[in-house]
Every structure is written in structure tokens, then in C-alpha cells.
Coordinates of all heavy atoms in Angstrom, one line a residue:
T83 N 7.6 -5.9 3.7 CA 6.2 -5.6 3.2 C 5.2 -6.7 3.6 O 5.5 -7.9 3.8 CB 6.3 -5.5 1.7 OG1 6.7 -6.8 1.1 CG2 7.2 -4.3 1.3
Y84 N 4.0 -6.2 3.7 CA 2.9 -7.1 4.1 C 1.7 -6.7 3.2 O 1.4 -5.5 3.1 CB 2.5 -6.9 5.6 CG 3.7 -7.2 6.5 CD1 4.6 -6.2 6.8 CD2 3.7 -8.5 7.1 CE1 5.7 -6.5 7.7 CE2 4.9 -8.8 7.9 CZ 5.7 -7.7 8.3 OH 6.8 -8.0 9.1
Y85 N 0.9 -7.6 2.8 CA -0.2 -7.3 2.0 C -1.5 -8.1 2.4 O -1.4 -9.2 2.9 CB 0.0 -7.8 0.5 CG 1.1 -6.9 -0.1 CD1 2.5 -7.5 -0.2 CD2 0.8 -5.7 -0.8 CE1 3.5 -6.7 -0.8 CE2 1.8 -5.1 -1.4 CZ 3.1 -5.5 -1.4 OH 4.1 -4.8 -2.1
A86 N -2.6 -7.5 2.2 CA -3.9 -8.2 2.4 C -4.0 -9.3 1.4 O -3.5 -9.1 0.2 CB -5.1 -7.2 2.3
D87 N -4.6 -10.4 1.7 CA -4.7 -11.5 0.8 C -5.3 -11.2 -0.5 O -5.0 -11.6 -1.6 CB -5.5 -12.6 1.4 CG -4.7 -13.4 2.5 OD1 -3.5 -13.2 2.5 OD2 -5.3 -14.0 3.3
Y88 N -6.3 -10.2 -0.5 CA -7.1 -9.9 -1.7 C -6.4 -9.0 -2.6 O -6.9 -8.7 -3.8 CB -8.5 -9.3 -1.4 CG -8.4 -8.1 -0.4 CD1 -8.2 -6.8 -0.8 CD2 -8.6 -8.4 1.0 CE1 -8.2 -5.8 0.1 CE2 -8.7 -7.3 1.9 CZ -8.4 -6.0 1.4 OH -8.4 -4.9 2.3
V89 N -5.2 -8.5 -2.3 CA -4.4 -7.6 -3.2 C -3.1 -8.3 -3.5 O -2.4 -7.7 -4.4 CB -4.2 -6.2 -2.7 CG1 -5.5 -5.5 -2.3 CG2 -3.3 -6.2 -1.4
K90 N -2.8 -9.4 -3.0 CA -1.5 -10.0 -3.3 C -1.4 -10.4 -4.9 O -2.3 -10.9 -5.4 CB -1.3 -11.3 -2.5 CG -1.0 -11.0 -1.0 CD -0.9 -12.4 -0.2 CE -0.5 -12.1 1.2 NZ -0.4 -13.4 2.0
G91 N -0.3 -10.1 -5.4 CA 0.0 -10.3 -6.8 C -0.6 -9.1 -7.6 O -0.3 -9.2 -8.9
R92 N -1.4 -8.2 -7.1 CA -1.9 -7.1 -7.8 C -1.3 -5.7 -7.4 O -1.1 -4.9 -8.2 CB -3.4 -7.1 -7.7 CG -4.1 -8.3 -8.3 CD -5.7 -8.1 -8.4 NE -6.3 -7.9 -7.1 CZ -7.0 -6.7 -6.8 NH1 -7.2 -5.9 -7.7 NH2 -7.5 -6.6 -5.6
F93 N -1.2 -5.6 -6.1 CA -0.6 -4.3 -5.6 C 0.8 -4.4 -5.1 O 1.2 -5.4 -4.7 CB -1.5 -3.8 -4.4 CG -2.9 -3.4 -4.7 CD1 -3.5 -3.7 -6.1 CD2 -3.8 -3.0 -3.7 CE1 -4.8 -3.3 -6.3 CE2 -5.1 -2.6 -4.0 CZ -5.5 -2.8 -5.3
T94 N 1.5 -3.3 -5.2 CA 2.9 -3.3 -4.7 C 3.1 -1.9 -4.0 O 2.8 -0.9 -4.4 CB 3.9 -3.4 -5.9 OG1 3.7 -4.5 -6.6 CG2 5.3 -3.4 -5.4
I95 N 3.6 -2.1 -2.7 CA 3.9 -0.9 -1.9 C 5.3 -0.7 -2.0 O 6.1 -1.6 -2.0 CB 3.4 -1.2 -0.4 CG1 3.5 0.1 0.3 CG2 4.1 -2.3 0.2 CD1 2.8 0.1 1.7
S96 N 5.7 0.6 -2.0 CA 7.2 1.0 -2.0 C 7.3 2.4 -1.5 O 6.3 3.0 -1.2 CB 7.7 0.9 -3.5 OG 7.0 1.8 -4.3
R97 N 8.5 2.8 -1.4 CA 8.8 4.2 -0.8 C 10.0 4.7 -1.5 O 10.9 4.0 -1.9 CB 9.1 4.1 0.8 CG 10.3 3.4 1.1 CD 10.4 3.3 2.7 NE 11.8 3.0 3.1 CZ 12.3 1.8 3.1 NH1 11.5 0.7 2.8 NH2 13.5 1.6 3.5
D98 N 10.1 6.0 -1.5 CA 11.2 6.8 -1.9 C 11.7 7.6 -0.8 O 11.1 8.7 -0.5 CB 10.9 7.6 -3.1 CG 12.1 8.3 -3.7 OD1 13.1 8.6 -3.0 OD2 12.1 8.5 -5.0
D99 N 12.8 7.3 -0.1 CA 13.1 7.9 1.2 C 13.6 9.4 0.9 O 13.4 10.3 1.6 CB 14.3 7.2 1.9 CG 13.8 5.8 2.4 OD1 12.6 5.7 2.7 OD2 14.6 5.0 2.6
A100 N 14.3 9.5 -0.3 CA 14.7 10.9 -0.7 C 13.6 11.9 -0.9 O 13.8 13.1 -0.6 CB 15.6 10.8 -1.9
K101 N 12.5 11.5 -1.3 CA 11.3 12.3 -1.5 C 10.3 12.2 -0.4 O 9.3 12.9 -0.5 CB 10.6 11.9 -2.8 CG 11.5 12.1 -4.1 CD 10.7 11.8 -5.4 CE 11.5 11.9 -6.6 NZ 10.8 11.6 -7.8
N102 N 10.5 11.4 0.6 CA 9.6 11.2 1.7 C 8.3 10.8 1.2 O 7.2 11.3 1.7 CB 9.5 12.5 2.6 CG 10.9 12.7 3.4 OD1 11.5 11.8 3.9 ND2 11.3 14.0 3.4
T103 N 8.2 9.9 0.3 CA 7.0 9.5 -0.3 C 6.7 8.0 -0.4 O 7.7 7.3 -0.6 CB 7.0 10.0 -1.8 OG1 7.2 11.5 -1.8 CG2 5.6 9.7 -2.5
L104 N 5.5 7.6 0.0 CA 5.1 6.3 -0.1 C 4.1 6.1 -1.3 O 3.4 6.9 -1.7 CB 4.3 6.0 1.1 CG 3.6 4.6 1.3 CD1 4.7 3.6 1.6 CD2 2.6 4.6 2.3
Y105 N 4.3 4.9 -1.9 CA 3.6 4.6 -3.2 C 2.8 3.3 -3.0 O 3.1 2.5 -2.3 CB 4.5 4.4 -4.4 CG 5.3 5.7 -4.7 CD1 6.6 5.7 -4.2 CD2 4.8 6.7 -5.4 CE1 7.4 6.9 -4.5 CE2 5.6 7.9 -5.6 CZ 6.9 7.9 -5.2 OH 7.7 9.0 -5.5
L106 N 1.7 3.2 -3.8 CA 1.0 2.1 -3.9 C 0.7 1.9 -5.4 O -0.2 2.6 -6.0 CB -0.3 2.0 -3.1 CG -1.2 0.7 -3.1 CD1 -0.4 -0.4 -2.4 CD2 -2.5 0.9 -2.5
Q107 N 1.3 0.9 -6.0 CA 1.0 0.6 -7.5 C -0.1 -0.4 -7.5 O 0.1 -1.5 -6.9 CB 2.3 0.1 -8.2 CG 2.1 -0.3 -9.6 CD 1.7 0.8 -10.5 OE1 2.3 1.8 -10.4 NE2 0.6 0.7 -11.3
M108 N -1.2 -0.1 -8.2 CA -2.4 -1.0 -8.1 C -2.6 -1.4 -9.6 O -2.9 -0.6 -10.5 CB -3.6 -0.2 -7.6 CG -3.4 0.2 -6.2 SD -4.9 1.0 -5.5 CE -5.2 2.4 -6.5
N109 N -2.5 -2.7 -9.9 CA -2.7 -3.3 -11.1 C -3.9 -4.2 -11.1 O -4.3 -4.7 -10.0 CB -1.5 -4.0 -11.5 CG -0.2 -3.2 -11.8 OD1 -0.4 -1.9 -12.2 ND2 0.9 -3.7 -11.5
S110 N -4.5 -4.6 -12.2 CA -5.6 -5.4 -12.4 C -6.7 -5.1 -11.4 O -7.3 -5.9 -10.6 CB -5.1 -6.9 -12.1 OG -4.1 -7.3 -13.0
L111 N -7.1 -3.8 -11.4 CA -8.1 -3.3 -10.5 C -9.5 -3.9 -10.8 O -9.8 -4.3 -11.9 CB -8.1 -1.7 -10.6 CG -6.9 -1.1 -9.8 CD1 -6.9 0.3 -10.4 CD2 -7.2 -1.1 -8.3
K112 N -10.2 -4.2 -9.6 CA -11.5 -4.7 -9.7 C -12.5 -3.7 -9.0 O -12.1 -2.8 -8.3 CB -11.6 -6.0 -8.8 CG -10.5 -7.1 -9.3 CD -10.5 -8.2 -8.3 CE -9.5 -9.3 -8.7 NZ -9.5 -10.4 -7.8
P113 N -13.7 -3.8 -9.4 CA -14.8 -2.9 -8.8 C -14.8 -3.0 -7.3 O -15.0 -1.9 -6.7 CB -16.1 -3.5 -9.4 CG -15.7 -4.0 -10.7 CD -14.4 -4.6 -10.5
G114 N -14.5 -4.2 -6.7 CA -14.4 -4.3 -5.3 C -13.3 -3.4 -4.7 O -13.2 -3.3 -3.4
D115 N -12.3 -2.9 -5.4 CA -11.2 -2.0 -5.0 C -11.7 -0.6 -4.8 O -10.9 0.2 -4.2 CB -10.1 -2.0 -5.9 CG -9.4 -3.5 -6.0 OD1 -9.3 -4.1 -4.9 OD2 -9.0 -3.8 -7.1
T116 N -12.9 -0.3 -5.2 CA -13.4 1.1 -5.1 C -13.5 1.4 -3.6 O -14.2 0.8 -2.8 CB -14.8 1.2 -5.7 OG1 -14.7 1.0 -7.1 CG2 -15.4 2.6 -5.5
A117 N -12.8 2.6 -3.2 CA -12.9 3.0 -1.8 C -12.1 4.3 -1.7 O -11.4 4.7 -2.7 CB -12.3 1.9 -0.9
V118 N -12.1 4.9 -0.6 CA -11.2 6.0 -0.3 C -9.9 5.3 0.3 O -10.0 4.5 1.3 CB -11.8 7.0 0.7 CG1 -10.7 8.0 1.1 CG2 -12.9 7.6 0.2
Y119 N -8.7 5.6 -0.2 CA -7.6 5.0 0.2 C -6.8 6.1 1.1 O -6.6 7.2 0.7 CB -6.7 4.7 -1.0 CG -7.1 3.4 -1.6 CD1 -8.4 3.4 -2.4 CD2 -6.4 2.2 -1.5 CE1 -8.8 2.2 -3.0 CE2 -6.8 1.0 -2.1 CZ -8.0 1.0 -2.8 OH -8.5 -0.1 -3.4
Y120 N -6.3 5.6 2.2 CA -5.7 6.4 3.2 C -4.3 5.9 3.5 O -3.9 4.7 3.6 CB -6.3 6.3 4.6 CG -7.8 6.9 4.6 CD1 -8.9 6.0 4.3 CD2 -8.0 8.2 4.8 CE1 -10.1 6.6 4.2 CE2 -9.3 8.7 4.8 CZ -10.4 7.9 4.5 OH -11.6 8.4 4.5
C121 N -3.4 6.9 3.7 CA -2.0 6.6 4.0 C -1.9 6.8 5.5 O -2.5 7.7 6.1 CB -1.1 7.6 3.3 SG 0.6 7.6 3.8
A122 N -1.0 6.0 6.1 CA -0.9 6.1 7.6 C 0.6 5.8 7.9 O 1.4 5.1 7.3 CB -1.8 5.0 8.3
V123 N 1.0 6.5 9.1 CA 2.3 6.3 9.6 C 2.3 5.8 11.1 O 1.5 6.3 11.9 CB 3.1 7.6 9.5 CG1 4.4 7.5 10.4 CG2 3.4 8.0 8.1
A124 N 3.2 4.9 11.5 CA 3.4 4.5 12.8 C 4.7 5.0 13.3 O 5.7 4.8 12.7 CB 3.4 3.0 12.9
D125 N 4.6 5.8 14.4 CA 5.8 6.3 15.0 C 6.3 5.5 16.2 O 6.9 6.0 17.1 CB 5.5 7.8 15.5 CG 5.8 8.8 14.4 OD1 6.3 8.4 13.3 OD2 5.5 9.9 14.6
H126 N 6.0 4.2 16.1 CA 6.5 3.3 17.1 C 6.7 1.9 16.4 O 6.2 1.8 15.3 CB 5.5 3.1 18.3 CG 4.1 2.6 17.9 ND1 3.2 3.4 17.2 CD2 3.7 1.3 17.9 CE1 2.1 2.6 17.0 NE2 2.4 1.4 17.5
I127 N 7.2 1.0 17.1 CA 7.5 -0.3 16.5 C 6.1 -1.1 16.6 O 5.8 -1.3 17.7 CB 8.6 -1.1 17.1 CG1 9.9 -0.3 17.0 CG2 8.7 -2.5 16.6 CD1 11.1 -1.0 17.7
P128 N 5.4 -1.3 15.6 CA 4.2 -2.0 15.7 C 4.3 -3.6 15.7 O 4.8 -4.1 14.6 CB 3.4 -1.5 14.4 CG 4.5 -1.2 13.4 CD 5.7 -0.9 14.2
P129 N 4.0 -4.2 16.7 CA 4.0 -5.7 16.7 C 3.2 -6.3 15.6 O 3.6 -7.3 15.0 CB 3.5 -6.1 18.0 CG 3.8 -4.9 18.9 CD 3.6 -3.7 18.0

């Protein structure tokens, strides 16, 4: 896992392979977190 500095300690990314689902648990939300959130997939090894 990798996190942006401004969400470390507040957000947690995880996945459920059986359900083919990705999650983002967001705690201690701030007004600066307001945005449209997008999920993305890489079909190659991203350096």
C-alpha cells in the first residue's frame, strides 16, 4: 500500500478479492477532502 502524505493515518485502502472490490475507509474527514473520488486499475506493472 501507498498513501498520499495528507491522508496517512486517516485513510485505509483494502481489497476483497472474492468480491472483486476495492475499498477506501476514510476517517477524520476534513473539508479539504471534498472532491470526486475515482477508482483506477493498472493492467501493467507500474514502476
Side-chain angles (χ1 to χ4, degrees):
T83 59
Y84 304 84
Y85 295 93
D87 288 341
Y88 53 83
V89 304
K90 288 181 179 178
R92 299 191 298 123
F93 292 7
T94 303
I95 189 170
S96 62
R97 71 183 194 276
D98 186 330
D99 292 337
K101 297 181 179 180
N102 293 317
T103 301
L104 178 74
Y105 301 99
L106 183 68
Q107 178 65 47
M108 305 186 294
N109 299 324
S110 301
L111 283 162
K112 305 174 181 179
D115 296 319
T116 296
V118 176
Y119 283 70
Y120 297 91
C121 172
V123 169
D125 271 354
H126 63 281
I127 300 175

